[in-house]
Amino acid sequence: MPHRTFLWFILPSLVAMLLFIAAPIASVIMQSLHQQHEQVLITVENQGPFGTTTSTQVDQEATQALRDAEPLGRFVGLDVYKDRAHLATSEVGLAWEQSDGIGAFVDRLMNLPFYRALIFTLVYVAVVTPLTILLGLGVALGVNGLPKLFKGPTIFVSLLPMMVTPLVGALVLYWMLEQNGILGSALQGITGDPTLSLRASTPLTWLTLFAYGIWSSAPFAFVVYYAGLQSVPQDPLEAAMVDGATRWQRIRYVVIPHLAPLTIFIALIQLMDNFRVLEPIISFNAGANAPSLAYSIFSDLRGDVAQFNSAAATSVLTILGVAILLTPVLFRTWRDFNAKGGH
């Protein structure tokens, strides 16, 4: 295809990417480099029966004029990134000096809002992503081996988590885990602790969020793997059966290598989605025990005074975190592509 023709062919996609991806990201980066203007205070003298008193009031007109003149706020560079609500560079250095081990250092980091959210987000990604892939593969292999009569109903049941709105699904599970809910009462009976509560237990909150994340994401992996299983070549499978290979050996040496590109695709999607976990945290009201980076952005924007610069800085750090997580997967994909001669 001539270069000119190819350019016109991809031009609509490039324009859309610039308008809906590059421009918003640039806007967020610019906002993160500014700080909201502080209110202009004035001293007012009040005459009273006992003399003159002074009070401090907000000059609404001057404050509004300042904000109108500089809508983004005052330029502060990277100060927002270095404050205590984000990277907390000075606090981290002090914590490292005062800690006598990695465990103590991590405990101190958990007291800093950004690192607490980052730690939960990374743990969530590390737990939910591989288990989602394994569960999706297992369900796909199981459904693929069923008789045709049972495949349809089984596929429908397997896709139910995708049909339920994430917020509603998380709320239903949360209600079930409440102290008077079905699962909550069962857990109290098993543990013998009548005061056991999802809200009061940080480990239970984390485990519940992990379980919900796996349950809600596994159908996507199942659909992709099930579609991939329909294209597995039969000749290698039949040759393996003739050679006496067991079902597990056929899956390990024939099926799984064939599904490797799909695994990379699922991993990319899940890494991005899980790093932005938000809905279950809101549904479970788990912001105190399990804050994520996305929840931190949500909290900055829903307060009485929206902290746009703080939300923007956390958004930029989240984008960088996703990019770092995706780099190894993308590098491996590029290496495999070059190994095949670029075809």
Side-chain angles (χ1 to χ4, degrees):
M1 180 184 297
H3 294 294
R4 185 181 181 85
T5 304
F6 178 74
L7 178 61
W8 283 107
F9 178 75
I10 66 171
L11 183 60
S13 298
L14 291 177
V15 173
M17 292 176 64
L18 288 174
L19 290 177
F20 300 110
I21 298 178
I25 291 177
S27 175
V28 169
I29 294 175
M30 185 63 65
Q31 180 65 65
S32 69
L33 301 177
H34 292 75
Q35 180 77 47
Q36 285 100 328
H37 290 294
E38 297 179 355
Q39 294 178 329
V40 178
L41 302 178
I42 58 175
T43 302
V44 179
E45 293 184 354
N46 302 310
Q47 298 293 335
F50 301 103
T52 302
T53 59
T54 59
S55 62
T56 302
Q57 298 180 0
V58 177
D59 190 337
Q60 299 291 349
E61 293 183 0
T63 301
Q64 189 61 42
L66 188 61
R67 291 175 177 175
D68 292 340
E70 297 179 339
L72 289 178
R74 54 190 177 88
F75 182 80
V76 294
L78 299 178
D79 290 350
V80 178
Y81 292 92
K82 295 186 290 185
D83 64 14
R84 191 181 187 280
H86 297 91
L87 296 179
T89 53
S90 59
E91 287 83 356
V92 170
L94 183 62
W96 179 256
E97 293 176 358
Q98 296 179 349
S99 301
D100 54 359
I102 297 297
F105 177 65
V106 173
D107 289 340
R108 289 179 179 272
L109 286 184
M110 290 294 288
N111 294 325
L112 299 172
F114 173 79
Y115 291 100
R116 187 180 183 190
L118 177 62
I119 290 173
F120 170 77
T121 303
L122 292 176
V123 174
Y124 184 89
V125 170
V127 173
V128 173
T129 302
L131 292 181
T132 296
I133 293 174
L134 291 175
L135 181 59
L137 177 60
V139 174
L141 291 172
V143 172
N144 194 54
L146 290 176
K148 292 184 178 180
L149 179 64
F150 299 103
K151 280 188 177 181
T154 306
I155 292 175
F156 174 78
V157 173
S158 301
L159 295 179
L160 281 177
M162 291 186 67
M163 302 177 188
V164 179
T165 304
L167 195 61
V168 175
L171 278 173
V172 171
L173 183 58
Y174 175 72
W175 292 330
M176 294 173 65
L177 284 167
E178 277 281 70
Q179 286 182 308
N180 57 350
I182 298 175
L183 297 179
S185 300
L187 286 173
Q188 291 176 358
I190 294 173
T191 60
D193 183 4
T195 64
L196 183 63
S197 171
L198 173 66
R199 296 182 180 181
S201 174
T202 298
L204 181 58
T205 301
W206 283 39
L207 290 175
T208 304
L209 291 173
F210 295 161
Y212 174 78
I214 297 168
W215 175 80
S216 61
S217 302
F220 170 75
F222 157 68
V223 169
V224 176
Y225 277 132
Y226 184 75
L229 288 173
Q230 310 314 306
S231 63
V232 174
Q234 296 301 310
D235 291 342
L237 287 175
E238 294 175 357
M241 293 177 64
V242 171
D243 292 338
T246 63
R247 173 176 171 79
W248 164 244
Q249 290 174 332
R250 296 196 300 271
I251 293 174
R252 179 180 178 184
Y253 295 107
V254 179
V255 175
I256 292 180
H258 177 77
L259 299 178
L262 295 180
T263 301
I264 295 175
F265 168 73
I266 296 172
L268 287 172
I269 299 299
Q270 289 301 310
L271 284 173
M272 290 186 290
D273 285 347
N274 293 333
F275 203 83
R276 297 180 288 106
V277 56
L278 175 62
E279 291 91 346
I281 298 177
I282 297 176
S283 301
F284 289 123
N285 195 20
N289 293 330
S292 67
L293 293 177
Y295 184 81
S296 298
I297 299 171
F298 173 76
S299 300
D300 287 336
L301 296 177
R302 70 167 183 170
D304 295 335
V305 179
Q307 302 180 33
F308 294 107
N309 64 316
S310 179
T314 307
S315 299
V316 173
L317 293 173
T318 302
I319 294 173
L320 292 176
V322 173
I324 292 173
L325 285 180
L326 296 183
T327 297
V329 181
L330 295 176
F331 177 77
R332 179 177 178 179
T333 304
W334 178 258
R335 185 182 60 186
D336 293 342
F337 178 79
N338 288 335
K340 296 178 181 179
H343 299 291

